[in-house]
Amino acid sequence: QQQVKQSPQSLIVQKGGISIINCAYENTAFDYFPWYQQFPGKGPALLIAIRPDVSEKKEGRFTISFNKSAKQFSLHIMDSQPGDSATYFCAANYNQGGKLIFGQGTELSVKP
Amino acid sequence: KAGVTQTPRYLIKTRGQQVTLSCSPISGHRSVSWYQQTPGQGLQFLFEYFSETQRNKGNFPGRFSGRQFSNSRSEMNVSTLELGDSALYLCASSPDRSPLYEQYFGPGTRLTVT
């Protein structure tokens, strides 16, 4: 019940296309859902986050869509660029704690 | 503001030895969490410290321990190292336990156990 399932494991998108990564969770106590971007040799960097009382949040080219009833959330990267090529992780948290539960990651490759 | 710093960045140890990793959080951040990242298991939570107290603990054996100092700097220790402990160890800091709990990660310490 603590798991966060992420798909796909890898994704190849053409430059200018839309990248979509999906996550699903079981624990309805989760109340914070961040997305992280990680480049090789670096730590994960916080991209965007959402709380379950909001269905969508947009920051620049990055959008989180949240479906509370389905217990799913997704990251959309519009106008994908080669510089977006990285590994993306969804995560979940609850009870204001410092314990993030991460998905398994999606390796995104944006082809020029 | 300087980001989260971790030392050392790389470490090679032998099975059976122990190791101590250090993390300095972003100035003003009081919470520090530790994670282990491996290709097979992904990112797994180890423990969280807030105001020198362990507030959350993950499902790791007692060989993994940590502490936090009064200046919020944190250390984690792994005793009796095993080959499977080879991983990237990440530290993350957060200002406080606000409802929107943002964690900022350091670059990690790459531990190799031979």
mmCIF file of all heavy atoms in Angstrom, chain A residues 2-22:
data_model
loop_
_atom_site.group_PDB
_atom_site.id
_atom_site.type_symbol
_atom_site.label_atom_id
_atom_site.label_comp_id
_atom_site.label_asym_id
_atom_site.label_seq_id
_atom_site.Cartn_x
_atom_site.Cartn_y
_atom_site.Cartn_z
ATOM 1 N N GLN A 2 2.145 1.081 0.305
ATOM 2 C CA GLN A 2 3.057 2.206 0.300
ATOM 3 C C GLN A 2 3.664 2.456 -1.064
ATOM 4 O O GLN A 2 4.383 3.411 -1.245
ATOM 5 C CB GLN A 2 4.203 1.950 1.301
ATOM 6 C CG GLN A 2 3.785 2.069 2.735
ATOM 7 C CD GLN A 2 3.541 3.513 3.138
ATOM 8 O OE1 GLN A 2 4.302 4.393 2.795
ATOM 9 N NE2 GLN A 2 2.470 3.755 3.842
ATOM 10 N N GLN A 3 3.361 1.617 -2.044
ATOM 11 C CA GLN A 3 4.024 1.728 -3.334
ATOM 12 C C GLN A 3 3.461 2.841 -4.193
ATOM 13 O O GLN A 3 2.286 3.221 -4.092
ATOM 14 C CB GLN A 3 3.876 0.408 -4.094
ATOM 15 C CG GLN A 3 4.803 -0.695 -3.628
ATOM 16 C CD GLN A 3 4.731 -1.895 -4.543
ATOM 17 O OE1 GLN A 3 3.681 -2.207 -5.084
ATOM 18 N NE2 GLN A 3 5.838 -2.572 -4.716
ATOM 19 N N VAL A 4 4.356 3.336 -5.053
ATOM 20 C CA VAL A 4 3.956 4.233 -6.130
ATOM 21 C C VAL A 4 4.464 3.578 -7.407
ATOM 22 O O VAL A 4 5.657 3.317 -7.532
ATOM 23 C CB VAL A 4 4.567 5.639 -5.964
ATOM 24 C CG1 VAL A 4 4.213 6.509 -7.151
ATOM 25 C CG2 VAL A 4 4.078 6.275 -4.664
ATOM 26 N N LYS A 5 3.544 3.280 -8.323
ATOM 27 C CA LYS A 5 3.914 2.577 -9.553
ATOM 28 C C LYS A 5 4.002 3.571 -10.703
ATOM 29 O O LYS A 5 3.051 4.322 -10.951
ATOM 30 C CB LYS A 5 2.905 1.479 -9.851
ATOM 31 C CG LYS A 5 2.911 0.383 -8.799
ATOM 32 C CD LYS A 5 1.936 -0.718 -9.123
ATOM 33 C CE LYS A 5 1.982 -1.805 -8.047
ATOM 34 N NZ LYS A 5 1.021 -2.899 -8.302
ATOM 35 N N GLN A 6 5.133 3.538 -11.398
ATOM 36 C CA GLN A 6 5.404 4.513 -12.453
ATOM 37 C C GLN A 6 5.586 3.813 -13.788
ATOM 38 O O GLN A 6 6.181 2.735 -13.868
ATOM 39 C CB GLN A 6 6.682 5.296 -12.088
ATOM 40 C CG GLN A 6 7.054 6.393 -13.048
ATOM 41 C CD GLN A 6 8.214 7.243 -12.559
ATOM 42 O OE1 GLN A 6 8.596 7.198 -11.384
ATOM 43 N NE2 GLN A 6 8.790 8.036 -13.440
ATOM 44 N N SER A 7 5.058 4.445 -14.836
ATOM 45 C CA SER A 7 5.226 3.914 -16.188
ATOM 46 C C SER A 7 5.244 5.050 -17.203
ATOM 47 O O SER A 7 4.677 6.126 -16.936
ATOM 48 C CB SER A 7 4.078 2.941 -16.512
ATOM 49 O OG SER A 7 2.826 3.632 -16.506
ATOM 50 N N PRO A 8 5.893 4.866 -18.356
ATOM 51 C CA PRO A 8 6.693 3.701 -18.718
ATOM 52 C C PRO A 8 8.073 3.754 -18.070
ATOM 53 O O PRO A 8 8.436 4.745 -17.469
ATOM 54 C CB PRO A 8 6.805 3.841 -20.241
ATOM 55 C CG PRO A 8 6.817 5.326 -20.458
ATOM 56 C CD PRO A 8 5.896 5.899 -19.407
ATOM 57 N N GLN A 9 8.818 2.691 -18.214
ATOM 58 C CA GLN A 9 10.176 2.642 -17.669
ATOM 59 C C GLN A 9 11.106 3.512 -18.501
ATOM 60 O O GLN A 9 12.033 4.118 -17.981
ATOM 61 C CB GLN A 9 10.652 1.199 -17.664
ATOM 62 C CG GLN A 9 11.942 0.977 -16.903
ATOM 63 C CD GLN A 9 12.277 -0.496 -16.791
ATOM 64 O OE1 GLN A 9 11.477 -1.372 -17.157
ATOM 65 N NE2 GLN A 9 13.458 -0.801 -16.298
ATOM 66 N N SER A 10 10.859 3.554 -19.822
ATOM 67 C CA SER A 10 11.650 4.403 -20.703
ATOM 68 C C SER A 10 10.739 4.983 -21.771
ATOM 69 O O SER A 10 9.692 4.408 -22.097
ATOM 70 C CB SER A 10 12.802 3.617 -21.328
ATOM 71 O OG SER A 10 12.309 2.566 -22.124
ATOM 72 N N LEU A 11 11.161 6.125 -22.299
ATOM 73 C CA LEU A 11 10.317 6.865 -23.239
ATOM 74 C C LEU A 11 11.202 7.611 -24.215
ATOM 75 O O LEU A 11 12.158 8.288 -23.805
ATOM 76 C CB LEU A 11 9.452 7.850 -22.440
ATOM 77 C CG LEU A 11 8.423 8.708 -23.166
ATOM 78 C CD1 LEU A 11 7.394 7.844 -23.868
ATOM 79 C CD2 LEU A 11 7.746 9.643 -22.167
ATOM 80 N N ILE A 12 10.892 7.466 -25.497
ATOM 81 C CA ILE A 12 11.616 8.212 -26.529
ATOM 82 C C ILE A 12 10.610 9.124 -27.228
ATOM 83 O O ILE A 12 9.563 8.670 -27.695
ATOM 84 C CB ILE A 12 12.283 7.267 -27.548
ATOM 85 C CG1 ILE A 12 13.302 6.368 -26.847
ATOM 86 C CG2 ILE A 12 12.960 8.077 -28.652
ATOM 87 C CD1 ILE A 12 13.919 5.312 -27.745
ATOM 88 N N VAL A 13 10.933 10.412 -27.275
ATOM 89 C CA VAL A 13 10.036 11.404 -27.854
ATOM 90 C C VAL A 13 10.835 12.277 -28.824
ATOM 91 O O VAL A 13 12.015 12.564 -28.594
ATOM 92 C CB VAL A 13 9.418 12.272 -26.726
ATOM 93 C CG1 VAL A 13 8.628 13.430 -27.289
ATOM 94 C CG2 VAL A 13 8.535 11.413 -25.825
ATOM 95 N N GLN A 14 10.185 12.694 -29.883
ATOM 96 C CA GLN A 14 10.827 13.611 -30.815
ATOM 97 C C GLN A 14 10.788 15.037 -30.256
ATOM 98 O O GLN A 14 9.850 15.406 -29.525
ATOM 99 C CB GLN A 14 10.130 13.582 -32.179
ATOM 100 C CG GLN A 14 10.342 12.291 -32.955
ATOM 101 C CD GLN A 14 11.800 12.083 -33.321
ATOM 102 O OE1 GLN A 14 12.404 11.068 -32.986
ATOM 103 N NE2 GLN A 14 12.376 13.034 -34.031
ATOM 104 N N LYS A 15 11.785 15.796 -30.623
ATOM 105 C CA LYS A 15 11.838 17.206 -30.216
ATOM 106 C C LYS A 15 10.547 17.915 -30.622
ATOM 107 O O LYS A 15 10.075 17.755 -31.762
ATOM 108 C CB LYS A 15 13.036 17.888 -30.885
ATOM 109 C CG LYS A 15 13.169 19.373 -30.571
ATOM 110 C CD LYS A 15 14.343 19.990 -31.323
ATOM 111 C CE LYS A 15 14.374 21.497 -31.103
ATOM 112 N NZ LYS A 15 15.489 22.131 -31.871
ATOM 113 N N GLY A 16 9.984 18.658 -29.673
ATOM 114 C CA GLY A 16 8.730 19.351 -29.926
ATOM 115 C C GLY A 16 7.495 18.557 -29.550
ATOM 116 O O GLY A 16 6.386 19.110 -29.503
ATOM 117 N N GLY A 17 7.672 17.292 -29.265
ATOM 118 C CA GLY A 17 6.537 16.435 -28.914
ATOM 119 C C GLY A 17 6.162 16.556 -27.438
ATOM 120 O O GLY A 17 6.769 17.307 -26.672
ATOM 121 N N ILE A 18 5.152 15.792 -27.061
ATOM 122 C CA ILE A 18 4.682 15.792 -25.672
ATOM 123 C C ILE A 18 5.131 14.493 -24.997
ATOM 124 O O ILE A 18 4.903 13.400 -25.516
ATOM 125 C CB ILE A 18 3.146 15.883 -25.599
ATOM 126 C CG1 ILE A 18 2.643 17.136 -26.322
ATOM 127 C CG2 ILE A 18 2.681 15.882 -24.129
ATOM 128 C CD1 ILE A 18 1.139 17.226 -26.423
ATOM 129 N N SER A 19 5.781 14.640 -23.856
ATOM 130 C CA SER A 19 6.189 13.469 -23.065
ATOM 131 C C SER A 19 5.177 13.285 -21.944
ATOM 132 O O SER A 19 4.832 14.259 -21.257
ATOM 133 C CB SER A 19 7.588 13.690 -22.463
ATOM 134 O OG SER A 19 8.526 13.969 -23.474
ATOM 135 N N ILE A 20 4.706 12.062 -21.764
ATOM 136 C CA ILE A 20 3.720 11.788 -20.722
ATOM 137 C C ILE A 20 4.197 10.621 -19.868
ATOM 138 O O ILE A 20 4.509 9.543 -20.387
ATOM 139 C CB ILE A 20 2.342 11.449 -21.331
ATOM 140 C CG1 ILE A 20 1.846 12.593 -22.203
ATOM 141 C CG2 ILE A 20 1.329 11.161 -20.207
ATOM 142 C CD1 ILE A 20 0.567 12.302 -22.957
ATOM 143 N N ILE A 21 4.270 10.854 -18.579
ATOM 144 C CA ILE A 21 4.696 9.821 -17.624
ATOM 145 C C ILE A 21 3.584 9.674 -16.582
ATOM 146 O O ILE A 21 3.058 10.668 -16.094
ATOM 147 C CB ILE A 21 6.018 10.206 -16.937
ATOM 148 C CG1 ILE A 21 7.092 10.492 -17.988
ATOM 149 C CG2 ILE A 21 6.477 9.092 -15.996
ATOM 150 C CD1 ILE A 21 8.368 11.103 -17.418
ATOM 151 N N ASN A 22 3.252 8.434 -16.267
ATOM 152 C CA ASN A 22 2.117 8.163 -15.393
ATOM 153 C C ASN A 22 2.534 7.496 -14.091
ATOM 154 O O ASN A 22 3.483 6.713 -14.062
ATOM 155 C CB ASN A 22 1.122 7.253 -16.112
ATOM 156 C CG ASN A 22 0.616 7.864 -17.387
ATOM 157 O OD1 ASN A 22 0.004 8.923 -17.392
ATOM 158 N ND2 ASN A 22 0.896 7.195 -18.503
#
